[in-house]
Amino acid sequence: MGLLDAGIKNHNVLVTSVDNVLNWARLSSLWPMGFGLACCAIEMMATNASNYDLERFGIFPRSSPRQSDLMIVAGTVTMKMAERVIRLYEQMPEPRYVLSMGSCSNCGGPYWEHGYHVLKGVDRIIPVDVYVPGCPPRPESLIGGLMKVQELIRMEQIGISRADALKKLAEKSVDPQFVIESERNAASA
Amino acid sequence: MQELDIAGMGSTRVTRKGNNLVVLEKDLQTEQMVLAMGPQHPSTHGVLKLECLTDGEVVTHAEPYLGYLHRCFEKCCENVDYPAIVPYTDRLDYLAGMNSEFAYAITVEKLLDIEIPRRVEFIRVIVAELNRIASHLVAIGTYGIDLGAFTPFLFCFRDREIILSLLEWASGARMLYNYIWVGGLAYDVPADFNKRVMEFVTYFRPKTVELYKLLTENEIFVKRTRGIGIMPADVAINYGWSGPMLRGSGVKWDLRRNDPYSVYPELDFEVPVPDGKVSDIGDCLSRHLVRALEMEESLKIIEQCIDKMPSAEGFNARSAVPKRVRPKAGEVYGRAENPRGELGFYIQSDGKSTKPLRCKARSSCFVNLSAMKDLSKGQLIPDLVAIIGSIDIVLGEVDR
Amino acid sequence: MMNSLTYTVIFYLFAAVTVFSAAFVVFSRNVIYSAFSLLFTFFGVAALYVFLSADFIAVTQVVVYVGGILVLLLFGVMFTKGIMNTELKSDVLHIIPGTLILAGMLGALLYTFYTTHTWKPSETQLHGSLVERIGFETVSHYVLPFEMVSILLLAALIGAAFLARFDKPDNNNL
Amino acid sequence: MEHLVPIGLNHYLTISAFLLGFGLFAVMTRKNAIVVLMGVELILNAANINFLAFSKYNGGMGGVMFSLFVIVIAAAEAAIALAIVINIFKIFKSVDVSSIDTLKE
Amino acid sequence: MEEGQVISQSVQQSAAAYAIIKDKFGEAVSAFDANETMPFFEVLDLSAWPEIALFMRDNPKLQFNYMACLSGVDYQSEEKVGIVCNLESLGKLNHRIAVKVKCARTGGSIPSVAGVWHTANWHEREAYDMYGMLFSAHPDMRRILCPDDWEGYPLLKDYKVQESYHGIKVPY
Amino acid sequence: MNLTSSHISMPLLMGNSLNAWSEALVGFNPMGLPLGLVILAAIPLVFIALYSLTYGVYGERKISAFMQDRLGPMEVGKWGILQTIADILKLLQKEDIVPTSADKFLFVIGPGVLFVGSFLAYAVLPFSSAFIGASLNVGLFFAIGITAIEVVGILAAGWGSNNKWSLYGAVRSVAQIVSYEIPAAIALLCGAMMAGTLDMQKITLLQSGSYGFAHFFLFQSPIAWLPFLIYFIASLAEVNRAPFDIPEAESELVAGYFTEYSGMKFAVIFLAEYGSMFMVSAIISIVFLGGWNSPLPDIGSFALNAWTNGPVWGVFWMIMKGFFFIFVQMWLRWTLPRLRVDQLMYLCWKVLTPFAFVSFVLTAIWVVFVP
Amino acid sequence: MSEYFRNIKTGAVTIATGLGITLKHFFNAVHRKGDAGVDDVDYFRQVDGLVTLQYPREVIPTPKNGRYRLYNAIEDCIGCGQCERACPISCITIETIKVAQDDMALCGKTSDGQQKKFWVPVFDIDVAKCMTCGMCTTVCPTECLVHTPVSDFSEFDRSNMLYHFGNLTRLEAESKRNKLAEIQAKAQAEKERKAAEAAVAAAQAPTQEEPKSDGE
Amino acid sequence: MDTTLSNFGNVFAFLALGIVFVVGGYLTARMLRPQRPNPAKNSTYECGEEAVGSAWVKFNIRFYVVALIFIIFDVEVVFLFPWATVFKQLGVFALVDALVFAGILILGLAYAWVKGDLDWVRPTPNIPQMPKMPEMPSATSTSDRG
Ligand code: SF4
Ligand code: SF4
Ligand code: SF4
């Protein structure tokens, strides 16, 4: 039972600062699993490549799930693949994060209606932390999504579960509708 | 349960249980190991699974398993209108969306029997050739990674990024464009597009030379690929290979020349085939070389198109786009030369609905990959990787 | 002055490592474990050589035994046995006579050691470094054995290579 | 106790006796040819300890040189022996020393 | 085909090729459909299909050495499923023709031509996967795209998607 | 038994070769445990080692980035300099998975043995005239030989994982390390022949002089570049660096023998790998490029050499030289494709070993006949 | 034998060439490429150097026609439902309510002066599904449905990606619907009455067509 | 005098430090990390597939030959190192001695080279062939005629 497992209730200064350091380390060194499924994976590769260079954030793809912290589900998950995705997810050591990249893994995307063999959203099989929309998402969006993951990690604390952190974030986050509203206002102005 | 006849396996008996190979009886002389390479493996370019039987490092049997990316393209096609299939065709060969759209558009146009404005044709050829370069860049780059050279990959992606921005500027999307419509284009290209493309061509030429020097000429690279995975020409044809794969086996066959479509007959370009000097005909290096040389030809085509292209005056990219695509009853098989080979569409229309009765995509990767089992027998694991890389598969097209 | 305590402790540490790992080599039922615990035996023995002021021999021990023989043994295990962990177990013959002989011999030897006082060793000092002395010896006193070693190695190489040649496909059926 | 504290020749001899004993035990009792080989290596190591111990406590380079040659022989022996073991394995499908009696034929 | 329509050269070539086949196999093949977009004929005698295929590949006047495509088709109204093969003489005579073969919709089987064109191997597996017709004498008749334990043949017009697969809900 | 080892007239761990730095602490001998002192003395060394290891990683990422027109780590600390620290801290927090089917014991000790093996070699590397862990008579030989322990660690890790990729990686790795040890050792033998000693410190001292680099063995004989090159190539293979990284070939074997390792065990393997990388770089600079000696020559009255020599400068030069070779290793890595296993063996046995023998003979003749 | 040495030589030469190239790039790393987009004249005149765009800090604007997030200027939407029909993957859900005659002014006109005839209480776009194909935007007659070049909008919760653009709140929609139903009922009653009248007076001109509102 | 011993004491210190570092690292990690094993997590990684069979199979022998040749040369090097430290002082005799020694072994290398023991045996890869028509079991051609 490690510190990250412990349900420490009272947060004093020490715990918080330890927390901050640990979280900082985790968010600064997110190693995603090199795991491309479909078209989105190409955009993921493009994001890893020189022009966007994810390594700036310390993001450094590993090919074995054992050494990765983040699973970027980049592309269409099919029924045949679903079990493998679960297995690969399970084989990642905790703490682990999942980022669903692209419409397909968000909810089946273009194939949600007629794609009999497409899993309609990877959140049906593994818990997803961040959804990145787009088909395929631009590298910018993927980077934005990764920053969201970092935000989530920053929120986590010893003794505070992921769900709680997400709840906290939800409190903090701005309603997208509001953003759209302002966008609308800007457009009309 | 079915016992497999796997040559060169001595008395090892193997059977298939569900989706897996199971070694039934072990021959003590050579003990075979069942090794699943993929679906999550860095060198299977996506979610291909290769099930290998290995004896030490030697692969005695490798069978590709597909379907991990089966996205029901054909079912979707039967449920949406003809024009709405275009975005789905993008997602077939997602590295060369323009080419897939092109193939689909000309197939439906063949069925509809409509005339396309000349400027549209030229723009189509330009974007398709740009996309061909982008796709070959990925093929070459990832092939480098397969063989352990990382830097060429990043150089390729750097230049590909420029092509993507050019295409995004024209079409609004970076990868999956929905730009070539049945009967026309989504929009005309932006005003400065031609100039910028010409600039790109001048920019890109020296980069190909650099890439050639860095990767293709490298002795280690040559030693890793030369003489590996040889495919004789007649067997290649029998396997249905097409595109760079077939040309790598020394068959001078390019649909842009041999079954011309669009404005290709007016354009002057070479169809590169290996001459057997730097590479052995039909090996991995030949296939790689064909791709490398084809980029140069594409640049030539782009230059000519920009020269010959009618001006944009009074041009409407959608002038020939039918309001409603409802072809007469009949069948058509149309095809175009994709970066990976012949992409064909077999479309059956009942003449009544706006949706095709049957739309089958004949994908080049699917066909090219089917030779994998034959090619991999008796290779070392590193050679296996070299062979898969040289086939340059895109799973989206294999599994559809 | 003389820090015999540290010296003694470390000596006993290595002695223990050597003896226990050797015991493990012999008594473990799992060949792979035997082979790996041989690493500790060899390493411990090398440390004992150091205590015996034979630094060069100690390093040689590591180079040849650990780097060579142990790897060879490990490969041997991997190439011959296999399939499952259980099959790595090896059967034991003649346990009782073996144990008896072991106990008897050990007893006899130890008894001899600790009762013999005729060995009155006198510590001698070696001058210069051991490497250099070995270097001198090899080309002076031991020049013939030195050359013989090369012949022996040549013979071993040819023999081993010959034996290993069954690997070739055409010789596969031997 | 006084035997234990100042490390002397007997300590080394004791250790070597243990190694020798274990080695012999392995050679005699184990069926697996590779374990037998390991036993042989233990015996050779025991011999080496003795060589060096006597060399140290009696002087002279003889022991050192001999131990060097022992190592050479051990290496050569291991190479050849393992090659033979693997050959035997190829033929008899076993490294079990007791089952390799077909050699007589 | 309609009267008065100009027959393009490629259709004429196909017609010539068809004539040779018709000569040899007579009743086993149907009449030639000389449409512009995809001229084809149908193989009526199923069991003759591999033989026809081999003949088409090896006859020096035909040399259909290249199978471009093999698509399964569901002829729901005829209660049949079938395949459409697009054949071509690549680099040799450069003519093309399409061949249709049909069999019963349920439990039907078509002889395999994987021994004539390697291409047919996987394509036939795909057709089986999607339409459920068997290909007799196929070296490896398994599903190819869908998982082995998938229910139903998805491209049949009356296909109903299963509710769950290995405990995962399938429909949206 | 009268055999007290009275001849050991000095405190066990306090030889005259103990460097000057720790000699100051000799008098301080609390509770009769000078061992503690030595550990104290070794701590800075350890830190140098670990620091260089970790910053090797950072350097690699930056260098590779620049070669590939990228920026590399940027966001973690200014210019990403805290990247490596974050990585290690992160790995500390990761769950440590031991697969059920793995051999627990071997799986756990594998990385440890590997690390200890690579770490032990640091004991004999002289970082400056007054800064060496253990000035052994057989230092060079020790440095070559200790790799053997790493080999066993790798085998334990690969076999213990019970993973096919790991096993392939381990067997490949061992075969590779073991075969390249021959040309490497013969090449270093040439250096030892020129020096006439195996003591690393002495080898370095022999290369000092007011002409700076001209005293380095590489420039001392016209044939020294041959063993130099051979050792460099062989050392690349010994530490599994490209183009000889077939044991970890990502595109073939996923991650080689450490495929199954996660968390701290992976970090330990990682450190060991980078440790060996620096180690071979250090060895090559000690044997052929003068170790901690300043390469600057005295020019007339500008006693550049004298000014830039000294214990602190020594450490500086040593680390610079080590990093230079690490740079070259990375440069090669990010340029070349990977060899195949048969080509690897070809290169070792049919190119490097014969040439190593040639250089051995030539050096021997040179040393004997050219004073 | 010469083969052997030639191999070594070609190996060395080609490796050296490669090393030269990477080294050139390494030293070129002092330059950084500018941030001109491809639509900029200067794009190909930028220095050759590090190409990395440090995204959250530096941005190259996506082209104007970039198809990323969908946005509907609902004031301009006439509720014609074309976009819904055009979308290949039906990720747009529209519900319209016919505007009652007296509400026309309230409902307003589009920016180009067209009278809107439908309330759009529900205009939901599931951007999680959307494949940014642009089919919907090209068919939109008033060009109110557009793709914005904003691409970076990831979410922790997928339900946040269902964008509601409708121009009525639920209550308003309810009342409008009721009102319409009333009008319809009235019209229906009228019609019935008329029909009855017609039945009585057998020869009478048919009334105007009924305005029918349908769910979507 | 016995500097050897004291220096090896330092080596021992390094050994101890190395072990302390590893064990300390493991322990620190143990204090920090979560530990939530489950069967799926602890299953062997095989590219996402369920691992079929164990990796502990008899491995191909080829690597073994390498180790065999290695060990011979390894021992040779062991002998040459002490020689290297003194041959300068001993002159031509020592030189000839060592050259003979090395020469004999080079002979061995040459023997192995000529005999092809240094070649990494590569199997002859399969070159794809034209398909073969299987024997046509006429019975299988079914009666559904189109
Ligand atoms: S979301 Fe779009 S781009 Fe991504 S995998 Fe699905 S179809 Fe491809
Ligand atoms: S962009 Fe395409 S997928 Fe998205 S809403 Fe519009 S039509 Fe539908
Ligand atoms: S097409 Fe345009 S106007 Fe019509 S409903 Fe859609 S958004 Fe509104």
Side-chain angles (χ1 to χ4, degrees), chain E residues 6-118:
Chain E
V6 194
I7 307 172
S8 71
Q9 202 193 342
S10 72
V11 179
Q12 282 172 10
Q13 280 178 353
S14 318
Y18 168 76
I20 299 170
I21 301 164
K22 181 77 183 168
D23 257 9
K24 172 98 175 109
F25 291 98
E27 280 311 296
V29 296
S30 77
F32 184 58
D33 184 329
N35 63 55
E36 250 325 299
T37 51
M38 195 186 84
F40 68 90
F41 69 89
E42 197 183 322
V43 175
L44 298 175
D45 181 1
L46 269 182
S47 54
W49 166 225
E51 222 175 302
I52 297 175
L54 199 62
F55 177 74
M56 285 172 80
R57 189 188 78 183
D58 289 342
N59 186 299
K61 288 212 192 100
L62 296 174
Q63 296 201 41
F64 285 102
N65 54 357
Y66 178 76
M67 172 183 260
C69 185
L70 187 155
S71 343
V73 184
D74 181 11
Y75 302 97
Q76 198 180 13
S77 51
E78 298 173 47
E79 273 302 308
K80 279 199 172 134
V81 285
I83 52 170
V84 179
C85 310
N86 298 86
L87 302 171
E88 174 166 4
S89 171
L90 186 145
K92 299 270 166 59
L93 304 171
N94 292 329
H95 52 205
R96 307 179 252 280
I97 200 163
V99 184
K100 289 187 177 179
V101 189
K102 296 181 186 172
C103 70
R105 196 145 184 272
T106 44
S109 89
I110 298 174
S112 162
V113 288
V116 182
W117 296 284
H118 277 304

Side-chain angles (χ1 to χ4, degrees), chain G residues 71-85:
Chain G
Y71 168 65
N72 189 3
I74 196 71
E75 309 78 63
D76 275 5
C77 175
I78 55 170
C80 63
Q82 297 232 35
C83 49
E84 192 189 17
R85 279 191 293 278

Side-chain angles (χ1 to χ4, degrees), chain G residues 72 74 76-84 92 94 120 123 136 139-145:
Chain G
N72 189 3
I74 196 71
D76 275 5
C77 175
I78 55 170
C80 63
Q82 297 232 35
C83 49
E84 192 189 17
I92 305 179
I94 304 182
V120 190
F123 192 109
C136 52
V139 296
C140 178
T142 61
E143 292 179 2
C144 63
L145 184 62

Side-chain angles (χ1 to χ4, degrees), chain G residues 70 83 86-89 91-92 125 130-137 147:
Chain G
L70 273 172
C83 49
C87 179
I89 55 181
C91 52
I92 305 179
I125 303 181
C130 172
M131 61 168 167
T132 64
C133 62
M135 298 300 242
C136 52
T137 55
H147 279 291

Side-chain angles (χ1 to χ4, degrees), chain F residues 62-72 74-75 327-328 331-336 346 350-352 354-355, chain G residues 4-5 7-8 14-15 17-20 22-23 25-29 32 49-54 56-57:
Chain F
K62 254 342 207 195
I63 291 168
S64 68
F66 289 155
M67 282 179 180
Q68 296 158 347
D69 294 350
R70 300 186 287 134
L71 271 170
M74 280 301 280
E75 305 286 325
F327 170 75
V328 178
W331 183 15
L332 283 165
R333 166 165 190 181
W334 298 111
T335 307
L336 299 180
Y346 178 92
K350 296 198 176 172
V351 179
L352 291 185
F355 276 104
Chain G
Y4 174 81
F5 286 108
N7 271 344
I8 295 177
T14 52
I15 287 170
T17 321
L19 286 176
T22 36
L23 196 65
H25 279 268
F26 182 71
F27 286 125
N28 218 359
R32 283 202 55 205
L50 302 183
V51 293
T52 310
L53 173 79
Q54 300 193 58
R57 296 164 198 277

